[in-house]
Amino acid sequence: MNINQRIENLRKLMKDRKIEAYIVPTSDPHQSEYLPDHYKEREFISGFTGSAGTAVVTMDQAKLWTDSRYFLQAASELENSEFELMKIGDEDYPTIEEYLEDVVSEFGKIAFNGNLFSVKEYKKLSESMGARTLISDLDYISKLWHDRPSLRTDKVWLMDEKYTGESCSSKITRLRDIMEVNDYDYYFLGAIEDICWLLNIRGNDIDYCPVTLSYILISKDKVNLCIDENKLDDKIRAYLEENEIKVYPYDHIFTLIKNIPGKNRIFLDPERTNVAIYDSINSNVKISMGINITENMKAIKSQKEIENNKNAYIKDGVTLVKFFNWLEIGASTGTLNEYVASKKLHEMRAENEGFIDDSFEAIIGYKDNAAIVHYEPSQLGSKTFKNESMVLIDSGAHYMEGTTDITRTIALGNLTEDEKIDYTLVLKSHIDLFLAKFKNKTTGQRLDAIAKYPLWKAGKDFFHGTGHGVGYVLSVHEGPQRIAQGSSIEFKENMFTSIEPGLYIANSHGIRIESQARVKFAFKNEFGKFLEFENLTYVPIDTRPIKVEMLTNEEYEWINAYNKKCQELLSPYLEGSDLEYLKESCKEI
């Protein structure tokens, strides 16, 4: 069945209930960023495979909203369907709310599946829809998706305290202390990464994200875990019992929520709680909302997590040096393409002790494919490397010691003047954040401006975030901190963030340089406490594309010192041509 047939079948269901617009978000019941195949409903109805977007189908139109990371990809994937791309953040395109106000009649019906719609999105929609009716209990996609993938039932596994640095019971005690201070009687937790962090467990329910689908309801004296009990072996059951965690079936969360006595106060995160859960809360229960308590807790890494993650980056650095050497040799033969390279990189990582999985599908884009921000090479249509232009490699892995996320852009041969200028601008942007000193609790928006200044000065920009938090053997994208325009979250000691400026020229080239950093104390004086970024990633940054005259003295010294440190840290683990490649890559410019 092609996409247009799916749209028509959906419209038949809509017509029966006189639904004027049906919304299909990118979501599961936990509002996860990465989804189990079972919940990829937006991909099913639209054909767009990116990780972010919302589809809206009316009786005569089909629209797909996504952000700038996916504009080129979405335009290509939607090309042969009725769906029209709507560019989020582009003032030439209406928001979803503006569009619905325009196309849905004054008292018309707008529907969606409330299990996949967050409270935050529902409230945003409700506030702008006037007298229109919102119907949140229509699961139309399940009626259309006959060969829908099943949910996984892989066993849950335990993260030892030698990796986490803190016991489950200690985390729960700290959480309850926060609940008590704020007078919360109950805490609902639907974010599966937070649940896994809190209980020191992991799972295999989602590709690239070692988590398990579950809910938690915590009171002053009980921790209730709702999960598919087939995923729990005797060891995990004993561990949960030892930590006084009561286990219930996955859907029992609705019963637990409904049974909260009136006049009690429950705390939840509206961005990570679905409408169906929210609607189960009795009207006389007091509700407080905000960012998940656990999200703020897990954003501050323990000393053991910091120490372990540094070891994970050494492993990954050694692997990437070997891979880059292999790639450049292969490029000279004219027989190696993007897809083959992505599979080789996975194989090389998998040889490392403690390897669990890739942390996301590797992005390997050559020439103009690198301008597609989240380009993932496929078996058909991958570009063959030649001794010219640049290749962008954005990849990462989960090891028992931590999660990695690294991007390097490598010159494979002759470059144009524009490629050199753009590469140097991105490098300046990358370096300038590592050189920065900033006040404690500086927001991500202010840090974003520091990074983008070299690009803005040249009249250029990029439209994805400059940095995101990184989980510890959890999601590679972790909040609440972000280095991005509009981010009001404050940066604090021992937060992790990526630093990944880029520049993308459609039909020509794309550049991104990304390292992971820890926020650390710099100094304190009469003006307050100052912080800085400590680099956790040690993979040589290619100096061949640099226009040295564009660097300041401080930037020039930074790149030489950084690559020298890469050589010191990685050379003990390399030999032969790989060691020679490292030395050549780290030569002073």
Side-chain angles (χ1 to χ4, degrees):
M1 185 188 301
N2 65 34
I3 298 302
N4 288 342
Q5 287 174 323
R6 292 173 184 174
I7 295 170
E8 284 308 307
N9 289 341
L10 174 58
R11 285 177 176 148
K12 289 175 184 176
L13 296 174
M14 293 166 60
K15 188 176 181 181
D16 290 343
R17 289 282 299 268
K18 296 182 180 178
I19 303 299
E20 294 187 27
Y22 191 75
I23 305 172
V24 186
T26 303
S27 190
D28 64 10
H30 307 271
Q31 285 64 57
S32 307
E33 179 183 11
Y34 297 107
L35 308 180
D37 290 342
H38 178 85
Y39 285 114
K40 293 181 178 178
E41 296 195 351
R42 188 227 62 229
E43 182 177 326
F44 169 82
I45 197 64
S46 70
F48 169 58
T49 63
S51 68
T54 302
V56 177
V57 176
T58 67
M59 295 308 293
D60 57 4
Q61 294 181 346
K63 309 285 187 181
L64 187 285
W65 276 261
T66 192
D67 62 60
S68 63
R69 295 173 297 168
Y70 296 110
F71 288 167
L72 294 177
Q73 178 182 336
S76 173
E77 292 182 341
L78 301 177
E79 193 171 14
N80 296 316
S81 77
E82 187 183 329
F83 271 98
E84 179 185 351
L85 172 62
M86 309 296 281
K87 298 180 178 181
I88 295 174
D90 188 324
E91 57 189 27
D92 292 335
Y93 293 84
T95 65
I96 293 173
E97 292 77 21
E98 289 168 344
Y99 172 76
L100 291 171
E101 281 187 274
D102 184 51
V103 301
V104 177
S105 62
E106 185 180 1
F107 300 101
K109 298 176 182 177
I110 301 167
F112 49 86
N113 180 356
N115 283 292
L116 308 183
F117 220 79
S118 75
V119 173
K120 179 181 178 180
E121 287 301 315
Y122 179 85
K123 289 183 177 294
K124 180 181 177 185
L125 189 63
S126 178
E127 289 167 2
S128 58
M129 287 301 103
R132 298 170 183 84
T133 302
L134 301 183
I135 301 173
S136 63
D137 61 352
L138 292 184
D139 180 9
Y140 281 155
I141 300 302
S142 289
K143 295 182 179 182
L144 302 175
W145 197 355
H146 303 303
D147 58 348
R148 186 174 193 152
S150 299
L151 290 170
R152 296 178 184 172
T153 57
D154 296 39
K155 297 297 183 186
V156 170
W157 50 279
L158 184 63
M159 279 288 284
D160 194 279
E161 206 172 315
K162 70 180 180 181
Y163 297 116
T164 65
E166 185 179 11
S167 69
C168 162
S169 59
S170 171
K171 292 177 180 180
I172 292 170
T173 298
R174 287 202 290 130
L175 172 58
R176 282 196 170 124
D177 288 344
I178 296 170
M179 290 173 62
E180 185 174 356
V181 167
N182 290 280
D183 198 27
Y184 302 143
D185 301 295
Y186 290 85
Y187 174 39
F188 167 75
L189 186 54
I192 49 183
E193 321 90 83
D194 289 40
I195 292 170
C196 288
W197 174 84
L198 182 66
L199 302 186
N200 286 342
I201 60 174
R202 299 295 187 269
N204 192 36
D205 287 358
I206 302 176
D207 288 341
Y208 311 120
C209 193
V211 294
T212 185
L213 299 183
S214 51
Y215 297 103
I216 276 185
L217 184 66
I218 297 178
S219 66
K220 294 176 180 178
D221 57 0
K222 292 180 182 176
V223 180
N224 302 302
L225 172 66
C226 296
I227 189 170
D228 178 353
E229 295 183 74
N230 292 319
K231 298 176 184 176
L232 308 179
D233 61 21
D234 291 343
K235 179 181 177 181
I236 293 294
R237 284 182 181 276
Y239 167 79
L240 294 173
E241 186 176 343
E242 178 187 333
N243 285 280
E244 300 181 338
I245 297 160
K246 180 71 174 174
V247 177
Y248 294 97
Y250 179 76
D251 287 332
H252 191 69
I253 187 62
F254 292 97
T255 301
L256 292 173
I257 291 285
K258 286 175 184 175
N259 289 340
I260 294 175
K263 298 184 179 179
N264 277 269
R265 183 177 296 280
I266 186 172
F267 181 87
L268 56 83
D269 186 336
E271 199 165 352
R272 300 303 301 272
T273 303
N274 68 55
V275 172
I277 292 285
Y278 186 84
D279 286 345
S280 299
I281 302 172
N282 290 317
S283 58
N284 58 350
V285 171
K286 301 170 186 176
I287 301 174
S288 293
M289 293 190 282
I291 294 173
N292 269 322
I293 300 168
T294 44
E295 185 170 3
N296 282 315
M297 290 171 68
K298 80 178 192 299
I300 309 298
K301 305 305 180 197
S302 70
Q303 288 304 313
K304 180 60 72 173
E305 287 173 326
I306 293 166
E307 176 188 322
N308 287 338
N309 227 113
K310 288 180 178 181
N311 292 332
Y313 266 98
I314 295 298
K315 284 184 183 179
D316 232 30
V318 171
T319 301
L320 283 167
V321 168
K322 292 177 179 178
F323 173 73
F324 294 154
N325 185 28
W326 173 88
L327 177 66
E328 292 199 36
I329 292 170
S332 65
T333 68
T335 60
L336 180 61
N337 67 25
E338 298 162 328
Y339 179 78
V340 172
S342 70
K343 297 306 168 189
K344 178 66 174 180
L345 180 52
H346 169 78
E347 290 171 8
M348 294 174 79
R349 277 201 169 103
E351 293 173 359
N352 288 319
E353 184 180 353
F355 175 83
I356 299 168
D357 194 4
D358 293 335
S359 54
F360 55 97
E361 184 76 32
I363 298 165
I364 299 183
Y366 180 49
K367 288 189 172 182
D368 54 320
N369 280 346
I372 303 171
V373 179
H374 272 209
Y375 172 78
E376 295 171 3
S378 58
Q379 199 161 1
L380 296 175
S382 280
K383 284 187 181 296
T384 299
F385 301 121
K386 299 177 182 177
N387 284 337
E388 60 184 21
S389 194
M390 294 183 286
V391 56
L392 185 156
I393 298 126
D394 185 350
S395 67
H398 296 294
Y399 300 99
M400 292 301 295
E401 296 92 342
T403 296
T404 68
D405 182 4
I406 304 168
T407 309
R408 294 292 182 262
T409 304
I410 305 295
L412 294 182
N414 293 330
L415 303 178
T416 66
E417 188 69 5
D418 285 345
E419 286 174 322
K420 292 177 181 178
I421 290 170
D422 289 346
Y423 182 93
T424 309
L425 288 170
V426 172
L427 177 61
K428 287 168 69 70
S429 178
H430 184 82
I431 293 172
D432 285 3
L433 262 186
F434 278 107
L435 290 173
K437 302 288 189 294
F438 50 94
K439 289 290 293 292
N440 184 41
K441 299 184 179 181
T442 294
T443 65
Q445 182 169 358
R446 290 186 170 187
L447 295 170
D448 187 59
I450 293 172
K452 285 188 171 180
Y453 181 68
L455 289 160
W456 287 347
K457 195 173 180 182
K460 300 182 180 185
D461 200 1
F462 59 94
F463 302 104
H464 57 73
T466 301
H468 57 81
V470 181
Y472 185 86
V473 198
L474 290 165
S475 176
V476 73
H477 293 154
E478 179 176 281
Q481 73 275 21
R482 292 178 67 235
I483 303 176
Q485 185 176 347
S487 174
S488 60
I489 300 298
E490 298 170 342
F491 274 68
K492 301 172 185 176
E493 278 185 78
N494 293 333
M495 283 182 165
F496 282 4
T497 183
S498 67
I499 295 177
E500 51 178 306
L503 194 54
Y504 311 95
I505 310 301
N507 304 313
S508 179
H509 59 273
I511 299 154
R512 186 162 61 252
I513 302 172
E514 175 189 16
S515 299
Q516 190 178 152
R518 172 175 78 102
V519 181
K520 64 176 287 190
F521 174 81
F523 56 83
K524 189 174 183 179
N525 60 21
E526 68 271 26
F527 299 105
K529 178 178 167 183
F530 286 78
L531 305 174
E532 63 185 350
F533 289 119
E534 175 192 10
N535 212 323
L536 300 175
T537 304
Y538 283 98
V539 177
I541 293 174
D542 196 352
T543 58
R544 291 168 295 187
I546 297 175
K547 287 184 71 67
V548 177
E549 64 272 21
M550 291 174 60
L551 300 180
T552 65
N553 287 337
E554 200 174 14
E555 291 164 347
Y556 176 86
E557 290 172 2
W558 187 94
I559 185 64
N560 282 324
Y562 174 79
N563 278 348
K564 182 180 179 182
K565 184 76 175 289
C566 288
Q567 183 173 335
E568 290 173 2
L569 291 174
L570 303 181
S571 60
Y573 307 97
L574 294 165
E575 58 187 15
S577 68
D578 293 325
L579 179 57
E580 291 307 310
Y581 179 86
L582 174 68
K583 291 177 179 177
E584 184 66 24
S585 300
C586 296
K587 283 197 311 187
E588 191 169 314
I589 56 174

Short mmCIF file of all heavy atoms in Angstrom, two decimals, residues 3-4 46-49 62-66 72-86:
data_model
loop_
_atom_site.label_atom_id
_atom_site.label_comp_id
_atom_site.label_asym_id
_atom_site.label_seq_id
_atom_site.Cartn_x
_atom_site.Cartn_y
_atom_site.Cartn_z
N ILE A 3 1.71 5.50 0.09
CA ILE A 3 1.35 6.53 1.07
C ILE A 3 0.00 7.16 0.76
O ILE A 3 -0.83 7.37 1.65
CB ILE A 3 2.45 7.60 1.14
CG1 ILE A 3 3.78 6.98 1.61
CG2 ILE A 3 2.04 8.74 2.08
CD1 ILE A 3 3.73 6.30 2.95
N ASN A 4 -0.26 7.47 -0.50
CA ASN A 4 -1.53 8.12 -0.85
C ASN A 4 -2.72 7.22 -0.55
O ASN A 4 -3.79 7.71 -0.16
CB ASN A 4 -1.51 8.53 -2.32
CG ASN A 4 -0.59 9.72 -2.56
OD1 ASN A 4 -0.22 10.43 -1.62
ND2 ASN A 4 -0.19 9.93 -3.80
N SER A 46 3.21 8.85 6.53
CA SER A 46 3.78 9.87 5.64
C SER A 46 4.91 9.38 4.75
O SER A 46 5.18 9.97 3.71
CB SER A 46 4.29 11.05 6.46
OG SER A 46 5.44 10.69 7.21
N GLY A 47 5.64 8.33 5.19
CA GLY A 47 6.82 7.88 4.46
C GLY A 47 8.08 8.62 4.84
O GLY A 47 9.17 8.25 4.41
N PHE A 48 7.97 9.66 5.67
CA PHE A 48 9.14 10.42 6.12
C PHE A 48 9.79 9.69 7.29
O PHE A 48 9.13 9.38 8.28
CB PHE A 48 8.72 11.83 6.53
CG PHE A 48 9.78 12.61 7.26
CD1 PHE A 48 11.02 12.84 6.67
CD2 PHE A 48 9.54 13.11 8.54
CE1 PHE A 48 12.00 13.55 7.36
CE2 PHE A 48 10.51 13.82 9.22
CZ PHE A 48 11.74 14.04 8.63
N THR A 49 11.10 9.41 7.18
CA THR A 49 11.78 8.56 8.16
C THR A 49 12.59 9.31 9.20
O THR A 49 13.22 8.70 10.06
CB THR A 49 12.72 7.57 7.43
OG1 THR A 49 13.73 8.32 6.73
CG2 THR A 49 11.95 6.70 6.45
N ALA A 62 -2.65 17.09 3.04
CA ALA A 62 -1.77 16.33 3.94
C ALA A 62 -0.47 17.14 4.09
O ALA A 62 0.19 17.45 3.10
CB ALA A 62 -1.48 14.95 3.37
N LYS A 63 -0.13 17.46 5.34
CA LYS A 63 1.03 18.31 5.61
C LYS A 63 1.97 17.60 6.59
O LYS A 63 1.52 16.86 7.48
CB LYS A 63 0.60 19.65 6.22
CG LYS A 63 -0.49 20.38 5.43
CD LYS A 63 0.04 21.01 4.17
CE LYS A 63 -1.04 21.88 3.53
NZ LYS A 63 -0.57 22.51 2.27
N LEU A 64 3.26 17.86 6.44
CA LEU A 64 4.28 17.29 7.33
C LEU A 64 5.19 18.41 7.83
O LEU A 64 5.89 19.04 7.04
CB LEU A 64 5.07 16.22 6.59
CG LEU A 64 6.11 15.33 7.32
CD1 LEU A 64 7.40 16.06 7.64
CD2 LEU A 64 5.53 14.74 8.59
N TRP A 65 5.17 18.63 9.14
CA TRP A 65 6.04 19.65 9.74
C TRP A 65 7.31 18.98 10.27
O TRP A 65 7.24 17.96 10.97
CB TRP A 65 5.33 20.33 10.93
CG TRP A 65 4.41 21.45 10.54
CD1 TRP A 65 4.68 22.79 10.58
CD2 TRP A 65 3.06 21.34 10.08
NE1 TRP A 65 3.59 23.51 10.16
CE2 TRP A 65 2.58 22.64 9.84
CE3 TRP A 65 2.22 20.25 9.82
CZ2 TRP A 65 1.29 22.90 9.38
CZ3 TRP A 65 0.93 20.49 9.36
CH2 TRP A 65 0.48 21.79 9.14
N THR A 66 8.46 19.55 9.95
CA THR A 66 9.72 19.09 10.54
C THR A 66 10.70 20.25 10.60
O THR A 66 10.44 21.33 10.04
CB THR A 66 10.32 17.89 9.77
OG1 THR A 66 11.38 17.31 10.54
CG2 THR A 66 10.87 18.31 8.41
N LEU A 72 15.94 18.87 3.64
CA LEU A 72 16.33 18.22 2.38
C LEU A 72 15.84 16.78 2.33
O LEU A 72 15.33 16.32 1.30
CB LEU A 72 17.85 18.28 2.19
CG LEU A 72 18.46 19.67 2.01
CD1 LEU A 72 19.98 19.58 1.92
CD2 LEU A 72 17.91 20.35 0.76
N GLN A 73 15.99 16.07 3.43
CA GLN A 73 15.56 14.67 3.49
C GLN A 73 14.05 14.55 3.30
O GLN A 73 13.57 13.71 2.53
CB GLN A 73 15.96 14.07 4.84
CG GLN A 73 15.50 12.61 5.02
CD GLN A 73 15.87 12.05 6.38
OE1 GLN A 73 16.80 12.53 7.02
NE2 GLN A 73 15.14 11.05 6.83
N ALA A 74 13.30 15.39 4.01
CA ALA A 74 11.84 15.32 3.92
C ALA A 74 11.36 15.66 2.51
O ALA A 74 10.45 15.01 1.98
CB ALA A 74 11.21 16.26 4.94
N ALA A 75 11.96 16.67 1.91
CA ALA A 75 11.56 17.04 0.54
C ALA A 75 11.72 15.86 -0.41
O ALA A 75 10.88 15.63 -1.29
CB ALA A 75 12.39 18.23 0.07
N SER A 76 12.79 15.11 -0.23
CA SER A 76 13.04 13.94 -1.08
C SER A 76 12.05 12.81 -0.79
O SER A 76 11.46 12.23 -1.70
CB SER A 76 14.48 13.45 -0.87
OG SER A 76 14.71 12.25 -1.55
N GLU A 77 11.83 12.51 0.50
CA GLU A 77 11.00 11.37 0.87
C GLU A 77 9.51 11.61 0.63
O GLU A 77 8.74 10.66 0.46
CB GLU A 77 11.25 10.99 2.33
CG GLU A 77 12.64 10.42 2.56
CD GLU A 77 12.90 10.00 3.99
OE1 GLU A 77 12.18 10.45 4.89
OE2 GLU A 77 13.84 9.22 4.20
N LEU A 78 9.09 12.86 0.64
CA LEU A 78 7.67 13.18 0.42
C LEU A 78 7.33 13.40 -1.05
O LEU A 78 6.15 13.58 -1.39
CB LEU A 78 7.29 14.43 1.21
CG LEU A 78 7.48 14.40 2.73
CD1 LEU A 78 7.11 15.75 3.34
CD2 LEU A 78 6.66 13.29 3.37
N GLU A 79 8.34 13.35 -1.88
CA GLU A 79 8.20 13.80 -3.27
C GLU A 79 7.07 13.09 -4.03
O GLU A 79 6.35 13.72 -4.80
CB GLU A 79 9.53 13.56 -4.01
CG GLU A 79 9.60 14.27 -5.34
CD GLU A 79 10.99 14.20 -5.94
OE1 GLU A 79 11.82 13.41 -5.45
OE2 GLU A 79 11.25 14.95 -6.89
N ASN A 80 6.89 11.81 -3.83
CA ASN A 80 5.90 11.06 -4.60
C ASN A 80 4.61 10.81 -3.84
O ASN A 80 3.86 9.89 -4.15
CB ASN A 80 6.50 9.72 -5.05
CG ASN A 80 7.68 9.92 -5.99
OD1 ASN A 80 7.62 10.73 -6.90
ND2 ASN A 80 8.75 9.17 -5.75
N SER A 81 4.34 11.63 -2.83
CA SER A 81 3.10 11.48 -2.07
C SER A 81 2.35 12.80 -2.04
O SER A 81 2.85 13.84 -2.48
CB SER A 81 3.40 11.03 -0.64
OG SER A 81 3.88 12.12 0.14
N GLU A 82 1.16 12.75 -1.49
CA GLU A 82 0.34 13.95 -1.36
C GLU A 82 0.87 14.90 -0.29
O GLU A 82 0.54 16.08 -0.27
CB GLU A 82 -1.10 13.52 -1.02
CG GLU A 82 -2.10 14.64 -1.01
CD GLU A 82 -3.49 14.17 -0.60
OE1 GLU A 82 -3.84 13.00 -0.86
OE2 GLU A 82 -4.22 14.97 0.02
N PHE A 83 1.70 14.38 0.60
CA PHE A 83 2.20 15.20 1.70
C PHE A 83 3.04 16.37 1.20
O PHE A 83 3.87 16.23 0.30
CB PHE A 83 3.04 14.36 2.67
CG PHE A 83 2.23 13.74 3.76
CD1 PHE A 83 1.82 12.41 3.66
CD2 PHE A 83 1.85 14.47 4.87
CE1 PHE A 83 1.07 11.83 4.66
CE2 PHE A 83 1.10 13.90 5.88
CZ PHE A 83 0.69 12.58 5.78
N GLU A 84 2.82 17.52 1.82
CA GLU A 84 3.58 18.74 1.53
C GLU A 84 4.43 19.09 2.74
O GLU A 84 3.97 19.06 3.87
CB GLU A 84 2.62 19.89 1.21
CG GLU A 84 3.33 21.21 0.91
CD GLU A 84 2.36 22.36 0.72
OE1 GLU A 84 1.14 22.11 0.66
OE2 GLU A 84 2.82 23.52 0.67
N LEU A 85 5.69 19.43 2.51
CA LEU A 85 6.61 19.79 3.58
C LEU A 85 6.29 21.17 4.13
O LEU A 85 6.14 22.13 3.37
CB LEU A 85 8.05 19.75 3.07
CG LEU A 85 9.14 20.30 4.01
CD1 LEU A 85 9.20 19.46 5.29
CD2 LEU A 85 10.49 20.31 3.31
N MET A 86 6.21 21.26 5.45
CA MET A 86 6.03 22.53 6.15
C MET A 86 7.27 22.74 7.03
O MET A 86 7.56 21.90 7.89
CB MET A 86 4.76 22.51 7.01
CG MET A 86 3.52 22.06 6.24
SD MET A 86 3.05 23.19 4.91
CE MET A 86 2.25 24.48 5.84
#
